[in-house]
Amino acid sequence: MNPLDTLRHQGLRKRLVEGLKIKGIKDEKVLNAISRVPRHLFMDSGFIQFAYKDQAFPIGAGQTISQPYTVAFQTCLLQLKPHDKVLEVGTGSGYQAAVLLEMGVNVFTIERQRELYLKVQQLLPQLGYFPKFFYGDGYKGLPTYGPFDKIIVTAGAPFIPEDLLQQLVIGGRLVIPLGPTDQQIMTVVTRVSEIEYKKETHGTFVFVPLLKGTEQ
Ligand code: SAH
């Protein structure tokens, strides 16, 4: 048990999880994962007191830690099975990666902002989370590590990156918020066969944009 994760924080998390249930998150495994991850330890000191509010907050480099509801919703849509190989595009604070690891899957996570990429590699192992970290452009995925059972994109994409489709196993799922910068539609793409994909949509969300290339 991490000494920085006090009974008070655990209590606040319980309330957060109750709130997520009321908002329609039903998957017990996802709710349990959220209840185990100390979100306050992923946040900048100025926002720690708000860690268990169901809101997004700044994490530096102009980026945000996603809202817990959004993290829960995307995690549900992935339909994870134990030991799935999962690619996350947009490591950010590392919070979503930690929730995925709590679901018992193998996580490969990629970030384009060097500052965040370096920061999270210090933090996550300290908290007992060990995804594989990559610095690069998530539009390209990780061709040498694929294919993946599941891919989650945690930034708003203007279109579906072809490379990510190619890196899905047959039967695999890509969960991606699609649309312009002001609002995106949560989209699930399932690879049905070598050449066929099926698309379904799940409501509107607002993410920071998926940007091209990398940034020092
Ligand atoms: N999953 C994160 C959410 C972070 S916000 C969390 O739980 O905190 C989205 C992140 O995507 C930002 O850190 C941003 O820098 C990153 N990002 C944007 N475009 C990207 C790209 N092309 N490749 C990789 N990461 C990208």
Side-chain angles (χ1 to χ4, degrees):
M1 180 53 68
N2 189 319
L4 297 173
D5 190 26
T6 65
L7 277 176
R8 188 177 74 84
H9 292 116
Q10 291 163 37
L12 289 169
R13 255 192 332 269
K14 231 180 175 163
R15 293 234 304 265
L16 170 69
V17 166
E18 290 310 315
L20 295 179
K21 278 190 200 167
I22 291 166
K23 291 179 185 173
I25 305 293
K26 293 193 186 75
D27 188 323
E28 286 293 332
K29 287 194 184 127
V30 172
L31 292 167
N32 283 337
I34 300 266
S35 73
R36 284 195 294 268
V37 181
R39 188 173 190 248
H40 62 287
L41 301 179
F42 292 75
M43 298 186 48
D44 282 357
S45 50
F47 295 100
I48 284 184
Q49 70 214 75
F50 306 119
Y52 297 106
K53 286 201 178 304
D54 189 19
Q55 285 174 23
F57 288 101
I59 52 170
Q63 303 305 321
T64 55
I65 179 170
S66 300
Q67 183 182 347
Y69 175 77
T70 306
V71 171
F73 193 81
Q74 283 195 287
T75 307
C76 288
L77 288 179
L78 285 171
Q79 297 184 358
L80 297 171
K81 296 195 189 70
H83 313 300
D84 266 355
K85 196 168 151 187
V86 181
L87 171 65
E88 179 194 25
V89 174
T91 314
S93 68
Y95 177 68
Q96 171 77 69
V99 171
L100 293 172
L101 288 163
E102 290 284 3
M103 299 288 293
V105 300
N106 298 317
V107 180
F108 296 69
T109 184
I110 180 165
E111 173 57 54
R112 68 179 287 283
Q113 294 259 10
R114 187 168 280 279
E115 177 193 331
L116 295 173
Y117 162 75
L118 294 173
K119 191 169 161 188
V120 82
Q121 277 184 84
Q122 294 279 321
L123 178 72
L124 263 71
Q126 280 172 19
L127 300 176
Y129 296 116
F130 301 95
K132 286 143 202 94
F133 298 102
F134 298 85
Y135 173 64
D137 180 0
Y139 275 96
K140 302 194 176 103
L142 291 173
T144 49
Y145 294 86
F148 297 94
D149 300 300
K150 310 286 160 63
I151 301 178
I152 173 172
V153 178
T154 66
F159 58 87
I160 302 176
E162 180 63 32
D163 286 326
L164 297 185
L165 293 178
Q166 289 307 325
Q167 289 168 39
L168 270 184
V169 301
I170 292 169
R173 291 164 75 80
L174 163 66
V175 176
I176 182 167
L178 267 186
T181 48
D182 56 334
Q183 184 168 288
Q184 303 87 34
I185 295 174
M186 192 61 76
T187 306
V188 180
V189 184
T190 307
R191 186 168 196 173
V192 183
S193 70
E194 197 60 45
I195 53 160
E196 279 170 290
Y197 295 85
K198 187 182 78 187
K199 204 162 102 177
E200 40 180 271
T201 57
H202 294 271
T204 55
F205 290 79
V206 180
F207 285 78
V208 295
L210 187 68
L211 301 171
K212 288 246 172 177
T214 55
E215 208 162 282
Q216 291 300 313

